[in-house]
């Protein structure tokens, strides 16, 4: 069998295994596996940030009610609890077991609903241009005047980007993919705040996550890099 024909057969087999639709997001099968390797590299950082967010939220709300999850009157939280209980019908879960089973989405929503952004993260010094040159740290008011993002805005932006990145990673999507418009290139990993797009360039994903870890504790960067 010629080397070229053998290569075509291997590619055909991998296309069946990985699916043509998935591979359409990549220039080659090799690029697909490079994307998976990037996801593997950043997973400890993503996981640590998510764990920290859960525990910081719990620390703040437990000051008021140590059983705030079980006692919540929020409809979405109640729906989340019903799902957890249906999955583990015969288990008696502790508060921290409930906490660990909450989705990142409900954790982020609870931070916003309880207006704990300022208590959870201090991002006043964060500059979004660091993560892509198309970003800016301000938005325009209705009178066309500039207004800088405050800390609550920045936390909401970061939580949205984090949630987006986490979901794409754990569905094994192409997190290196870029968007092209009017001969310009923009990140596909984006969110909006006050009609302003903020994104993360693929080459800056690890930098973004390490900066978030540093906002919690500098030592976490070292632990997540070992």
């Amino acid at each position: 069998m010629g080397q070229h024909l053998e290569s075509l057969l291997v590619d055909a087999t991998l296309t069946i295994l990985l699916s043509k639709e998935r591979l359409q997001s990549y220039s080659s099968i090799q690029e697909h596996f490079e994307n998976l390797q990037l996801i593997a590299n950043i997973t400890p950082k993503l996981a640590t940030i998510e764990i920290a967010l859960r525990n910081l939220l719990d620390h703040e709300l437990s000051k008021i009610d140590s059983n705030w999850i079980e006692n919540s009157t929020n409809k979405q939280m109640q729906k989340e609890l019903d799902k957890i209980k249906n999955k583990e019908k015969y288990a008696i879960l502790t508060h921290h077991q409930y906490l660990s089973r909450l989705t990142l989405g409900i954790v982020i929503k609870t931070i916003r609903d309880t207006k704990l952004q300022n208590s959870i993260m201090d991002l006043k010094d964060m500059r979004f241009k660091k993560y892509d040159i198309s970003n800016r740290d301000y938005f325009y008011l209705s009178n066309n005047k500039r207004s800088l993002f405050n800390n609550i805005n920045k936390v909401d932006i970061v939580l949205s980007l984090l949630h987006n990145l986490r979901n794409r990673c754990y569905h094994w999507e192409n997190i290196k993919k870029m968007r092209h418009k009017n001969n310009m290139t923009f990140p596909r990993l984006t969110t909006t705040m006050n009609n302003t797009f903020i994104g993360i360039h693929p080459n800056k994903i690890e930098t973004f996550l390490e900066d978030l870890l540093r906002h919690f504790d500098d030592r976490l960067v070292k632990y997540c890099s070992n």
Side-chain angles (χ1 to χ4, degrees):
M1 183 184 294
Q3 187 174 0
H4 178 63
L5 179 58
E6 184 178 357
S7 176
L8 288 176
L9 290 174
V10 169
D11 284 354
T13 300
L14 289 177
T15 299
I16 292 171
L17 292 172
L18 302 174
S19 87
K20 181 176 69 176
E21 291 75 15
R22 176 174 292 275
L23 292 175
Q24 282 174 345
S25 295
Y26 303 90
S27 63
S28 66
I29 291 175
Q30 180 61 34
E31 187 180 72
H32 167 72
F33 284 105
E34 288 172 358
N35 180 70
L36 291 181
Q37 187 58 58
L38 174 59
I39 291 172
N41 290 342
I42 66 173
T43 292
K45 299 179 178 70
L46 275 170
T48 303
I49 292 167
E50 182 173 340
I51 290 168
L53 287 173
R54 289 173 190 275
N55 289 319
L56 285 170
L57 174 64
D58 184 54
H59 177 75
E60 292 298 324
L61 292 183
S62 291
K63 294 175 183 177
I64 302 168
D65 181 357
S66 60
N67 291 313
W68 61 270
I69 298 175
E70 300 93 309
N71 294 335
S72 174
T73 57
N74 181 278
K75 288 184 179 180
Q76 285 186 268
M77 181 64 78
Q78 290 176 339
K79 190 175 180 180
E80 187 92 348
L81 278 175
D82 287 341
K83 287 182 182 178
I84 295 170
K85 289 175 181 177
N86 285 335
K87 283 182 180 179
E88 307 195 44
K89 292 180 180 178
Y90 305 107
I92 299 175
L93 301 180
T94 66
H95 172 78
H96 283 283
Q97 287 173 322
Y98 278 122
L99 179 67
S100 69
R101 286 159 174 75
L102 296 179
T103 64
L104 178 60
I106 199 71
V107 168
I108 289 173
K109 185 180 186 306
T110 304
I111 291 171
R112 288 172 174 160
D113 287 350
T114 54
K115 303 185 187 308
L116 285 172
Q117 292 96 325
N118 286 335
S119 299
I120 299 293
M121 301 180 86
D122 180 0
L123 303 178
K124 292 189 291 293
D125 294 331
M126 177 173 274
R127 297 292 176 264
F128 292 118
K129 226 170 192 26
K130 180 177 181 180
Y131 311 114
D132 191 78
I133 58 172
S134 67
N135 290 338
R136 61 192 190 203
D137 297 298
Y138 59 88
F139 61 97
Y140 286 101
L141 299 168
S142 56
N143 59 9
N144 214 32
K145 287 187 176 180
R146 290 185 181 186
S147 180
L148 293 173
F149 290 124
N150 60 30
N151 190 65
I152 291 176
N153 296 150
K154 289 185 176 183
V155 173
D156 283 343
I157 289 168
V158 162
L159 291 178
S160 180
L161 289 169
L162 181 71
H163 194 201
N164 192 347
L165 175 61
R166 190 256 195 202
N167 286 347
R168 289 191 182 197
C169 285
Y170 296 163
H171 287 92
W172 323 118
E173 295 180 21
N174 187 353
I175 60 173
K176 289 187 168 187
K177 199 169 182 180
M178 297 289 286
R179 182 168 53 91
H180 305 281
K181 184 178 180 181
N182 299 328
N183 295 319
M184 297 181 69
T185 304
F186 302 94
R188 285 182 64 87
L189 182 64
T190 60
T191 190
T192 58
M193 171 65 65
N194 297 330
N195 296 316
T196 300
F197 281 90
I198 304 294
I200 307 174
H201 191 283
N203 293 340
K204 295 294 184 178
I205 289 174
E206 292 194 75
T207 301
F208 170 73
L209 295 176
E210 287 175 1
D211 285 348
L212 293 187
L213 289 169
R214 287 189 186 93
H215 282 292
F216 295 132
D217 191 309
D218 286 337
R219 291 170 294 182
L220 293 176
V221 177
K222 181 184 71 173
Y223 294 146
C224 291
S225 301
N226 289 338

